[in-house]
């Protein structure tokens, strides 16, 4: 078992990464159903939460079937982060996570996310404020460092463990790298091997297949892995990895019928949670991912992203299933 405070996870747990505009409750629902062990909300702005901004408050929506679930917070002000931790705690998640890894300009250039990797003393003060403001386990997600010359995550791991965080997830790139190039897990493995580190260490970055998950488990010794982009349109990846780690065998890939069924589940939840107009609109970013690789799919995608009624989208999904079941036999 892997323990995060009082939270018990299975051996080598698989975590769903918090992804802005992706890991909302509808997406989390299909990932949980397909094997995700621990999930996080989209990252929540501390300033937005303090101001009671509707978008930030909505991100606190969590459901019993999602547990264990963490709310991820980001911000640039120490006192504000402490206060928003108290607000987030009242939403009754299982843990609070702090985002020190987001590299995008809108976050990092405002002194939040990965920007804190340039000011470790402030990162420590901010983390301590969050830890003191909640009775829940606090975890952190970060990167190797700001750039190649400042890969300071080893110091970060020790100092944040000392003030009470219960787990650390490390993305194997610097902020300057953004999402380019190959993730480097070497330093993640060294931190896991550090005898001072007693908390779980999770690796993140480029896990896109069962083979890679098992390879990195064995090579770097991490307690588990966090999966982000590879789960978009393919939530089956969690169960695929679990089966491969356990048996060394591959699960059969999802059929067209499987893809349609999960896409429809995602759509149904999206509409229940957001209403038909918004739910339909926000699902448009997912269709191409669910049906990636199907030959000559573009006409269907164009119809899906322009259809403005649930019944219309549902009819197109039925047509996709019928068409490709025949063509791919």
């Amino acid at each position: 078992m892997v323990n995060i405070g009082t939270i018990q996870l299975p051996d080598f747990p698989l975590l769903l990464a918090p992804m802005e505009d992706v890991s909302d409750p509808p997406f989390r629902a299909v990932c949980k159903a397909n094997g995700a062990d621990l999930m996080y909300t989209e990252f929540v702005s501390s300033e937005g939460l303090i101001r009671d901004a509707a978008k930030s408050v909505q991100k606190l929506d969590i459901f019993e079937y999602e547990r264990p679930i963490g709310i991820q917070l980001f911000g640039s002000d120490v006192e504000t982060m402490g206060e928003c931790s108290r607000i987030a705690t009242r939403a009754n998640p299982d843990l609070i996570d702090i985002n020190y890894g987001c590299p995008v300009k809108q976050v990092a250039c405002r002194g939040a996310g990965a920007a804190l990797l340039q000011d470790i003393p402030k990162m420590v003060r901010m983390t301590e404020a969050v830890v003191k403001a909640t009775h829940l386990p606090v975890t952190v997600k970060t990167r190797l460092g700001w750039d190649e010359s400042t890969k300071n995550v080893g110091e970060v791991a020790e100092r944040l463990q000392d003030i009470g965080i219960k787990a650390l997830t490390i993305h194997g790139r610097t902020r300057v790298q953004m999402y380019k190039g190959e993730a480097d897990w070497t330093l993640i493995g060294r931190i896991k091997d550090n005898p001072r580190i007693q908390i779980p260490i999770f690796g993140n970055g480029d896990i896109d297949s069962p083979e890679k998950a098992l390879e990195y488990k064995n090579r770097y010794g991490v307690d588990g892995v966090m999966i982000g982009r590879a789960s978009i349109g393919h939530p089956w990846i969690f169960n695929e990895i679990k089966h491969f780690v356990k048996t060394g065998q591959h699960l059969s890939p999802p059929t067209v019928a499987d893809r349609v069924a999960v896409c429809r589940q995602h759509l149904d939840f999206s509409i229940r949670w957001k209403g038909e107009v918004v739910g339909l609109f926000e699902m448009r970013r997912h269709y191409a991912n669910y049906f990636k690789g199907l030959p000559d799919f573009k006409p269907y995608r164009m119809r899906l992203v322009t259809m403005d009624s649930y019944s219309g989208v549902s009819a197109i999904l039925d047509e996709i299933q019928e068409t490709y079941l025949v063509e791919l036999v």
Side-chain angles (χ1 to χ4, degrees), residues 204-308:
N204 175 228
D206 295 352
I207 298 297
D208 57 7
S209 69
E211 291 91 343
K212 187 171 284 188
L214 181 58
E215 176 191 352
Y216 282 26
K217 173 183 185 291
N218 293 335
R219 183 186 299 183
Y220 301 107
V222 291
D223 294 286
V225 296
M226 178 177 280
I227 299 166
R229 288 172 289 173
S231 66
I232 300 174
H234 196 89
W236 302 272
I237 192 170
F238 299 100
N239 278 335
E240 288 173 348
I241 291 173
K242 287 182 175 182
H243 186 79
F244 189 79
V245 168
K246 184 177 180 179
T247 68
Q249 303 294 318
H250 285 281
L251 285 174
S252 298
T255 64
V256 173
D258 294 331
R259 298 195 208 188
V260 169
V262 172
C263 181
R264 196 189 303 276
Q265 291 166 10
H266 192 167
L267 171 65
D268 288 348
F269 200 123
S270 183
I271 289 174
R272 289 199 305 272
W273 187 56
K274 305 171 186 177
E276 183 165 345
V277 174
V278 177
L280 283 169
F281 179 78
E282 295 194 355
M283 270 300 293
R284 291 175 177 177
R285 66 172 68 101
H286 293 284
Y287 296 128
N289 294 305
Y290 274 117
F291 301 108
K292 185 177 181 179
L294 293 184
D296 302 316
F297 187 74
K298 185 177 179 180
Y300 286 108
R301 182 180 68 82
M302 295 304 296
R303 290 170 61 194
L304 286 167
V305 300
T306 54
M307 178 58 64
D308 58 4

Side-chain angles (χ1 to χ4, degrees), residues 61-269:
D61 284 357
I62 55 178
F63 298 86
E64 284 302 311
Y65 66 80
E66 298 185 285
R67 297 190 185 280
I69 178 83
I71 291 175
Q72 190 186 74
L73 306 174
F74 77 95
S76 60
D77 180 78
V78 172
E79 291 184 7
T80 301
M81 280 290 284
E83 178 57 28
C84 82
S85 177
R86 283 185 279 272
I87 296 171
T89 298
R90 293 199 290 269
N92 197 30
D94 297 287
L95 60 85
I96 300 293
D97 188 74
I98 308 174
N99 183 320
Y100 294 138
C102 182
V104 301
K105 289 183 179 180
Q106 298 95 313
V107 174
C109 291
R110 294 179 180 177
L116 275 300
L117 286 164
Q118 299 178 102
D119 190 345
I120 304 306
K122 183 177 179 181
M123 180 192 286
V124 170
R125 294 195 306 274
M126 185 176 288
T127 307
E128 189 170 27
V130 172
V131 169
K132 288 181 176 179
T134 182
H135 67 280
L136 298 170
V138 174
T139 62
V140 162
K141 184 173 188 287
T142 190
R143 289 182 168 236
L144 302 179
W146 181 259
D147 57 26
E148 284 296 312
S149 64
T150 57
K151 290 184 177 179
N152 49 14
V153 70
E155 176 189 355
V156 166
E158 291 188 1
R159 293 184 68 175
L160 298 192
Q161 175 185 259
D162 290 347
I163 59 172
I165 71 166
K166 300 304 182 183
L168 177 66
T169 300
I170 305 168
H171 183 103
R173 292 181 175 87
T174 64
R175 187 271 168 179
V176 169
Q177 282 182 275
M178 300 291 285
Y179 296 100
K180 298 176 182 178
E182 184 176 351
D184 180 4
W185 284 52
T186 306
L187 190 50
I188 302 174
R190 289 178 192 160
I191 291 169
K192 179 58 190 172
D193 289 340
N194 180 351
R196 276 209 62 212
I197 298 299
Q198 300 299 311
I199 59 175
I201 300 296
F202 303 118
N204 175 228
D206 295 352
I207 298 297
D208 57 7
S209 69
E211 291 91 343
K212 187 171 284 188
L214 181 58
E215 176 191 352
Y216 282 26
K217 173 183 185 291
N218 293 335
R219 183 186 299 183
Y220 301 107
V222 291
D223 294 286
V225 296
M226 178 177 280
I227 299 166
R229 288 172 289 173
S231 66
I232 300 174
H234 196 89
W236 302 272
I237 192 170
F238 299 100
N239 278 335
E240 288 173 348
I241 291 173
K242 287 182 175 182
H243 186 79
F244 189 79
V245 168
K246 184 177 180 179
T247 68
Q249 303 294 318
H250 285 281
L251 285 174
S252 298
T255 64
V256 173
D258 294 331
R259 298 195 208 188
V260 169
V262 172
C263 181
R264 196 189 303 276
Q265 291 166 10
H266 192 167
L267 171 65
D268 288 348
F269 200 123

Side-chain angles (χ1 to χ4, degrees), residues 7-28:
I7 301 169
Q8 290 190 332
L9 300 174
D11 287 338
F12 197 62
L14 306 179
L15 287 60
L16 173 64
M19 294 176 283
E20 183 69 356
D21 295 326
V22 175
S23 51
D24 58 10
F27 181 72
R28 298 198 303 263

